[in-house]
Amino acid sequence: MDAYLISVMTFIGIWIIMAMSLNLLVGYAGQVSIGHAAFFGIGGYTVAVATVKMGLPFPIDLVLAAVVSGILGGFLGLPALRVRHDFLVLATIGINFIVVAVFQYTPALGGAYGIVGIPPIAIAGVELLGLGMLLLVAAIAVALFVLKALLLKTWFGVRLIAIREDEDAAAAIGINVASTKIWAFVLACGGAGIAGALYARQLGSVFPENFGFVESVTVLTMVVLGGAGTLIGPVIGAIILGGLPEYLRFLHEWRYVIYGLLLTVLVIFERDGLMGPESRLRALLTRLLRRAAAEP
Amino acid sequence: MAETITNIVVTGCLYTLIAMGLTMVYGMLRVLHIVHAGVFAVGAAVGLVVFQTLPVGFWPALFAAMLASGALGVAIYHIGYRWVLDAPRGTPLLVSIGLFITLQSLLEKPFLLGAYASAFDAPVGLPRVQLGALAFTPAQIAIVLSTVAASGVVWLVLNRTRLGLSWRALSEDMNMARSLGVATQRAVALNMFLGSAMAGMAGVLVAVYENAVSAHMGEVVAYKAFVVVVLGGLGSVLGAAIAAFVLAAFEIGISTYLGGLFPRDAIGFAVLIVILLFMPTGLLGRRFD
Amino acid sequence: MSITIERRTLLRGLGVAALCAVTFASPARADDTIKIGFFSPQTGFAASDGIAALHGATLAVQFANEDGGVMGKKLELVSYDDASAPDQAANVAQKLTQSDLVVAAVSGSYSFLTRPAAAIFQRAKVPMVAAYAVHPQITATGNYIFRTGVPSAVEGAAAAWTAGKLMKAKNVALVTMDNDAGAALADGFKKVAKDFGVNVVTEEKYSLKDKDLRPILTRIKGMNVDAIYANGFYAQAALLVNQLQELGIKTPVIGMEGFDSPKFFELSKPGAAEGVRITTALDRGSSNPLVQKFLAEYKSQFGQPADMVGASSFDAVAVLAEAIKRAGSTDADAIVKALHGIKDMSNVTTGPFVGFTEGGDVIKPVVVQEVKNGAWVSYAVIDDPAVMNLH
């Protein structure tokens, strides 16, 4: 299979994991964050340090990345208890900048030099490159998708949605808003950490500039465009926006003009996202699936 | 010390100009109006082009840039925001992001600004001013005077005109105001116009101050403007002005006295987060609902 | 109703398939050209450098072809835009090595884009030359990765040499951009400063996003400093000299190759750039006819004077062309061997290339230029082994 296609799809798989994790926070818990790339970065740097400086093998580095990002994400949840809505949005952006500054100014993390020489994942001595890495990323993405779907069916999922709809009402009926919020941050940031871990392995290096405001905006865009608060929304958003720069290469230097226009138009047309509850795409796919199921 | 104070005054004025316009738009539409930074850059570009192609001085070019920016703001409302005002919060933000990406990418094209920065060496026709130990260059005086004038105009409109009254009504509750007969479309358009005109004014002043106009000059404004607006308390114009100077003072003060300890933006955000932890709705924040 | 939907869906599906075919199809292999891959940020905030690099590479291919090509065939530049996104750099590296099947490639991008791509080129065993990315570990990626830009250790040391030995500046303040290029150059300076009689009084870092250097400069004003060693790109260079002028600071400035752009002059206020010295490798007054031809052709084709990025990119392509010629083959190992065999190449714009280190970094003298009456003039050439052989 075409190595370029595999590379593109591997990155899309990583964005899917990122978007799904952010969706937990934005779409289900209702906490808008434009700083998610910070945890993407924390996951990536954890893997970088674990592999390059400590020589740890897969999957220990991946687990570490998820745990470290998750715990630090929990700490981000603390200001979220105090600060809401657009104030929180800015706080999340601030956390992103501060985390990147820490990456950039901490010599132990490579400072401005980043960390290079991250080896590809090796399972039982076999290096995962190209197709192998793509399959691993896809497997993890599917597993996380299923886990998320199951999680949302639990009482935790119900609590999340209650908080999203009306935080004060949720508290009034006895939901522990603080604990639920913090857990939402832990899980979402842990998910971003997993995406970051895979990203670091795929690129072989991490630099502070990989994890900034622009990346956070991009992943939020994927979630909202796809349909925040739906299971399949972030997946669609990641496939479209993650792949669009590559699909549009034939437009050469007009790529991003069209990208911007397309984004604007798509989101005006489908205000709840492309896979939002009332969207045309969802209706179309449902019809097609029903017809396929109805055929004997 | 003197240079630091001058810098804080000038930077505070620039932050005020940018944040005031954003506060006006945000206050009315409740949109995270990130493309305000795109209008900022377009304003600078228009100012430069007018100054270079027409036999006019700096101030007429500035005025032209303000008109163009204002018009662009109204266009953005009609093309983008109008359709999604009652959509979930994320949707208008994405519209803004999409338009911002489009604007920046367009400005990069060779027939507009191109990939390189362009110089904007325009004499502002003002003298250097010495206030005790503080020295201000002509460009700096231009910034201070423009900010004072613009702030005055905004204050007047908001507090002494029917238009301002209708803006405040629409900010409180748009549907109620509309059903009470407020001329909504016109008021919103004028709000976008004035807020965006101020972005354009800021763009031209920054361009002349730094002697550079570039397609991506709005990239920092995109988030910095929000830091000021949020710090001030979202929707409060006075809050934005106070926050502008508080932020400038911290950023410049810490950078000057502690050196390159941390990037300036990170310092600014750290200050914001700390203040928000104590005052979750900003310095002058009203009850947020 | 259902038929209409099915047809619409079918058409949509065909449309998507067609789009994919157009985008992802490998171009037909043309055996009558030698393909040189190229990638740089041609859109986005770094587009000015990416486009300049593309121009330089394009000119090198043009000159080579005018000269009869290589091995009797024409060179063809296969160029992609990485939009300053590392994943795009990785994707195009895959494309270049696996679909376009280039013989070798040049990176016209910064370090954080070049490094991921380098890993892919190394694995695919396709030689890659970094034109100006400065990160010390890029060439360490493997034996197929080379660099024709001045290594940071050398350029930083050259600045220290200039300060200590040529300008007799004892106390120097560093103004460093906080990315890897800034860090590498500052480290190169600091490492040998004492050897050349220079005392580093302070190091002030700034972010590329930060247009206001006044806090840093105000701090420096209060210190006893004989010279400022600053690094940055053309925009920062202009901001620096403008703000120094505004603050009335007369301390001499030593810059680096990022300053080496006509835009530095354009964006500087009158007189602000005067006296600035920079370490670079492009000697605009050079008697080498190739340099003059390059400068003239660049200006006439692209409408503006060449800068260091364009020159570096030109040389990266030129050295590859030379290596293929000498190897007499497009085999990767033969090219690598030929590159290491280059011992004195003078038909480059930023040369002469004395050779390559074992790791693949170029060895060449550093040129110091000074601004006199708003233009660059030669100030010194530094080829002392104490500087040139550092890496």
Side-chain angles (χ1 to χ4, degrees):
Chain A
M1 200 189 192
D2 190 294
Y4 164 69
L5 257 179
I6 293 177
S7 182
V8 174
M9 293 202 295
T10 308
F11 284 109
I12 289 181
I14 292 173
W15 304 138
I16 288 177
I17 297 173
M18 264 289 259
M20 289 197 300
S21 71
L22 182 60
N23 189 29
L24 192 68
L25 206 50
V26 172
Y28 290 95
Q31 309 294 301
V32 178
S33 166
I34 313 188
H36 213 49
F39 298 92
F40 189 52
I42 290 174
Y45 266 86
T46 305
V47 161
V49 168
T51 53
V52 174
K53 312 239 165 145
M54 289 162 48
L56 297 173
F58 179 83
I60 298 183
D61 63 317
L62 183 65
V63 170
L64 256 178
V67 167
V68 171
S69 300
I71 292 178
L72 289 175
F75 281 111
L76 170 57
L78 293 174
L81 298 180
R82 205 65 185 122
V83 173
R84 293 197 199 173
H85 304 295
D86 291 334
F87 296 98
L88 178 63
V89 171
L90 260 295
T92 59
I93 300 177
I95 303 276
N96 197 168
F97 272 87
I98 292 173
V99 167
V100 169
V102 168
F103 291 156
Q104 202 153 359
Y105 283 57
T106 307
L109 294 176
Y113 292 115
I115 300 180
V116 305
I118 301 171
I121 293 177
I123 297 184
V126 177
E127 266 191 354
L128 285 186
L129 296 161
L131 190 59
M133 183 62 172
L134 172 60
L135 290 174
L136 178 68
V137 171
I140 294 179
V142 168
L144 290 173
F145 183 91
V146 169
L147 276 173
K148 184 176 166 192
L150 291 174
L151 180 70
L152 290 168
K153 287 204 154 78
T154 68
W155 185 227
F156 179 72
V158 176
R159 279 186 277 158
L160 281 180
I161 295 175
I163 291 175
R164 176 187 77 195
E165 295 303 317
D166 189 329
E167 222 173 284
D168 300 307
I173 65 170
I175 289 179
N176 186 341
V177 171
S179 133
T180 310
K181 260 194 201 177
I182 300 221
W183 273 107
F185 274 95
V186 168
L187 292 170
C189 295
I194 294 177
L198 294 168
Y199 184 75
R201 291 285 207 166
Q202 174 73 352
L203 278 184
S205 53
V206 288
F207 286 91
E209 41 264 83
N210 295 7
F211 307 111
F213 179 55
V214 173
E215 285 70 26
S216 289
V217 169
T218 305
V219 76
L220 178 69
T221 308
M222 291 174 184
V223 172
V224 178
L225 177 68
T230 69
L231 273 173
I232 195 79
V235 178
I236 298 291
I239 291 176
I240 293 180
L241 284 178
L244 215 50
E246 298 296 333
Y247 312 146
L248 294 180
R249 265 191 198 279
F250 65 97
L251 291 172
H252 300 293
E253 71 268 25
W254 290 95
R255 258 201 306 176
Y256 281 98
V257 176
I258 301 298
Y259 176 101
L261 285 173
L262 212 52
L263 173 60
T264 307
V265 164
L266 283 176
V267 92
I268 291 178
F269 258 87
E270 291 287 11
R271 307 132 112 249
D272 288 311
L274 291 174
M275 284 302 282
E278 317 272 317
S279 81
R280 283 157 259 228
L281 184 58
R282 183 179 280 269
L284 174 68
L285 286 175
T286 320
R287 255 199 306 260
L288 287 174
L289 278 171
R290 264 197 215 126
R291 194 169 310 135
E295 244 114 87
Chain B
M1 183 61 177
E3 295 100 348
T4 305
I5 297 184
T6 310
N7 198 2
I8 292 175
V9 168
V10 174
T11 306
C13 284
L14 285 172
Y15 285 177
T16 301
L17 261 183
I18 298 172
M20 256 201 302
L22 182 60
T23 303
M24 289 169 60
V25 175
Y26 178 89
M28 171 146 322
L29 299 178
R30 294 273 188 268
V31 174
L32 282 169
H33 181 48
I34 227 178
V35 69
H36 195 66
V39 177
F40 168 86
V42 168
V46 170
L48 178 68
V49 167
V50 168
F51 179 75
Q52 283 180 337
T53 53
L54 298 178
V56 295
F58 170 74
W59 295 99
L62 176 74
F63 192 65
M66 288 174 71
L67 289 178
S69 307
L72 178 61
V74 175
I76 287 172
Y77 172 73
H78 280 290
I79 297 173
Y81 295 152
R82 183 156 61 115
W83 314 103
V84 294
L85 283 179
D86 42 1
R89 310 294 311 274
T91 306
L93 170 61
L94 251 65
V95 169
S96 207
I97 291 170
L99 289 173
F100 187 36
I101 293 175
T102 309
L103 266 180
Q104 279 193 311
S105 308
L106 270 175
L107 282 173
E108 239 180 76
K109 297 287 154 273
F111 57 86
L112 289 175
L113 286 177
Y116 286 100
S118 311
F120 197 162
D121 201 359
V124 299
L126 293 170
R128 306 182 137 260
V129 168
Q130 189 86 23
L131 284 176
L134 304 181
F136 291 88
T137 65
Q140 290 173 324
I141 293 292
I143 290 170
V144 175
L145 289 179
S146 304
T147 306
V148 169
S151 308
V153 167
V154 169
W155 185 88
L156 269 173
V157 172
L158 270 181
N159 293 303
R160 290 279 182 272
T161 66
R162 288 187 61 118
L163 181 63
L165 190 59
S166 61
W167 284 351
R168 283 185 283 151
L170 286 164
S171 302
E172 287 292 324
D173 188 334
M174 196 175 277
N175 289 319
M176 178 67 80
R178 197 182 309 164
S179 61
L180 287 176
V182 173
T184 314
Q185 288 301 333
R186 202 182 74 106
V188 171
L190 283 170
N191 173 295
M192 285 297 298
F193 185 90
L194 188 54
S196 304
M198 293 184 56
M201 174 187 240
V204 173
L205 288 167
V206 166
V208 153
Y209 189 36
E210 290 171 4
N211 196 27
V213 177
S214 68
H216 290 267
M217 65 188 282
E219 66 169 347
V220 174
V221 170
Y223 53 86
K224 192 67 71 125
F226 278 102
V227 178
V228 178
V229 170
V230 163
L231 184 61
L234 282 175
S236 163
V237 169
L238 178 60
I242 295 176
F245 284 93
V246 167
L247 186 69
F250 270 109
E251 280 184 354
I252 294 170
I254 294 179
S255 302
T256 310
Y257 289 101
L258 295 181
L261 194 63
F262 227 36
R264 181 164 161 160
D265 286 342
I267 292 175
F269 275 109
V271 168
L272 171 69
I273 290 174
V274 168
I275 292 183
L276 281 181
L277 287 177
F278 290 103
M279 307 172 79
T281 51
L283 292 174
L284 248 61
R286 12 190 230 176
R287 182 187 64 90
F288 199 98
D289 40 76
Chain C
M1 183 71 159
S2 60
I3 301 170
T4 321
I5 292 180
E6 272 172 28
R7 199 188 301 154
R8 239 191 289 152
T9 320
L10 184 64
L11 282 174
R12 277 199 203 131
L14 281 174
V16 170
L19 204 60
C20 287
V22 162
T23 323
F24 296 120
S26 321
R29 189 161 170 200
D31 278 322
D32 49 347
T33 62
I34 293 186
K35 294 202 189 140
I36 308 271
F38 180 82
F39 61 97
S40 70
Q42 292 155 29
T43 53
F45 65 89
S48 53
D49 279 341
I51 294 177
L54 177 61
H55 287 333
T58 308
L59 268 189
V61 166
Q62 179 188 315
F63 283 18
N65 290 341
E66 279 164 9
D67 247 357
V70 170
M71 284 167 52
K73 302 189 189 160
K74 293 239 182 262
L75 284 183
E76 183 192 337
L77 196 69
V78 181
S79 153
Y80 290 105
D81 169 23
D82 62 31
S84 300
D87 57 308
Q88 288 190 36
N91 292 338
V92 300
Q94 293 288 2
K95 208 166 204 218
L96 286 170
T97 53
Q98 309 296 330
S99 311
D100 298 311
L101 301 171
V102 296
V103 164
V106 166
S107 161
S109 287
Y110 301 133
S111 306
F112 73 99
L113 303 159
T114 303
R115 182 56 184 70
I120 294 170
F121 283 105
Q122 176 65 25
R123 239 175 267 140
K125 298 198 181 9
V126 174
M128 189 206 90
V129 180
Y132 63 87
V134 140
H135 194 289
Q137 297 232 337
I138 286 177
T139 40
T141 309
N143 63 320
Y144 290 99
I145 311 301
F146 290 79
R147 173 177 12 227
T148 51
V150 181
S152 51
V154 174
E155 196 173 342
W161 178 284
T162 306
K165 298 231 180 221
L166 301 176
M167 290 167 58
K168 307 281 188 262
K170 283 218 159 22
N171 299 309
V172 173
L174 264 48
V175 174
T176 307
M177 53 178 170
D178 66 4
N179 63 5
D180 64 296
L185 286 164
D187 284 343
F189 185 102
K190 286 187 288 189
K191 198 150 174 221
V192 297
K194 283 253 149 51
D195 301 338
F196 301 153
V198 171
N199 171 36
V200 174
V201 168
T202 180
E203 180 174 8
E204 306 289 338
K205 293 199 224 179
Y206 71 94
S207 161
L208 285 176
K209 293 206 172 75
D210 197 350
K211 306 282 162 63
D212 182 17
L213 300 172
R214 294 177 188 86
I216 293 177
L217 299 179
T218 315
R219 279 171 61 81
I220 292 177
K221 193 176 183 183
M223 300 177 187
N224 172 26
V225 154
D226 303 314
I228 295 175
Y229 175 48
N231 54 56
F233 304 120
Y234 70 83
Q236 287 71 34
L239 287 170
L240 175 77
V241 298
N242 288 345
Q243 289 171 17
L244 278 170
Q245 189 185 57
E246 186 194 292
L247 291 170
I249 300 174
K250 303 263 198 297
T251 317
V253 171
I254 303 170
M256 39 76 90
E257 62 180 65
F259 286 36
D260 193 347
S261 159
K263 282 287 165 180
F264 172 43
F265 295 127
E266 207 187 296
L267 298 176
S268 308
K269 296 255 167 86
E274 202 64 16
V276 168
R277 301 192 174 107
I278 64 168
T279 57
T280 178
L282 176 62
D283 182 0
R284 288 152 202 277
S286 169
S287 52
N288 182 346
L290 177 67
V291 175
Q292 301 309 324
K293 182 176 176 208
F294 167 76
L295 292 173
E297 192 64 27
Y298 193 106
K299 175 102 194 270
S300 102
Q301 266 195 44
F302 305 120
Q304 58 173 300
D307 60 13
M308 184 52 188
V309 171
S312 303
S313 192
F314 177 98
D315 286 351
V317 174
V319 87
L320 274 176
E322 178 70 18
I324 300 173
K325 236 187 247 172
R326 292 193 190 193
S329 129
T330 55
D331 169 64
D333 293 314
I335 295 177
V336 165
K337 190 147 176 253
L339 280 169
H340 281 294
I342 291 179
K343 285 300 172 221
D344 210 330
M345 182 172 167
S346 56
N347 49 333
V348 280
T349 59
T350 63
F353 287 3
V354 170
F356 282 95
T357 65
E358 244 180 76
D361 281 305
V362 77
I363 304 172
K364 64 185 187 185
V366 174
V367 163
V368 182
Q369 305 252 287
E370 182 181 3
V371 180
K372 267 222 172 78
N373 298 322
W376 295 115
V377 299
S378 283
Y379 176 75
V381 172
I382 302 177
D383 51 10
D384 190 302
V387 172
M388 217 167 69
N389 290 344
L390 291 169
H391 47 85

